[in-house]
Amino acid sequence: MRLLSLLLLLGFFSFSFVLPANAQYAPTKKVKVKKASKKTVATTKAAMPTAAGPVLTFERTPCYGFCPAYIMEVYADGRVAYEGRHSVPMMGKHELKMPAAAVADMLRQAREARFETFEKNYSSGATDLPSTIVTIRQPDGTLKKVTVEANAPENVKSYFTYLTTQFDQLAQVNGLEK
């Protein structure tokens, strides 16, 4: 038992000597932290879904012909990670930029269209049709994914058409479309 205690003690001291000087323990002042109210936390969560990952992903899948296939991952700050996959003027991965206000507007439009109530899949069962897939990070941090191939109701079509227009304009501005 004494040997174990001695080894642990030596291990502790040797570890503390290995750390750089700026990583050593230094006493700090006590700071009183004000606890956020539930209302503040809820408002903040709704405004900023999650900074780490994309807040919206827009993907078009290929068909048996020459349908454009690409994916755009949109971040709250306006960064867009684009990857051209098939039948697009610019193949591969590219970093694009759009105004953060435009991203906020896309998310606002999703709330107004009641995206969270959309079905997971709108399909006719055909295997040769391209799909459009939209994934949006919800205020609670979960991801809601909707795939549209055919037979979508008007509110779903309207929101997907709005997004298609926004991303087509982004592609033109960045030279991704001819």
Side-chain angles (χ1 to χ4, degrees), residues 56-123:
L56 187 147
T57 302
F58 184 84
E59 179 178 4
R60 286 184 170 168
T61 64
C63 62
Y64 288 132
F66 296 100
C67 303
Y70 60 88
I71 186 167
M72 290 189 180
E73 293 179 334
V74 182
Y75 295 80
D77 64 0
R79 286 179 298 124
V80 179
Y82 167 89
E83 182 180 358
R85 296 179 173 168
H86 181 66
S87 298
V88 290
M90 191 166 299
M91 299 292 287
K93 295 181 179 185
H94 304 277
E95 189 77 22
L96 310 177
K97 186 76 175 155
M98 66 188 317
V103 176
D105 191 51
M106 288 178 188
L107 298 175
R108 182 185 58 75
Q109 293 276 352
R111 285 190 302 276
E112 288 177 7
R114 298 181 35 94
F115 185 85
E116 72 279 0
T117 65
F118 290 2
E119 297 291 324
K120 286 183 179 181
N121 193 13
Y122 298 97
S123 175

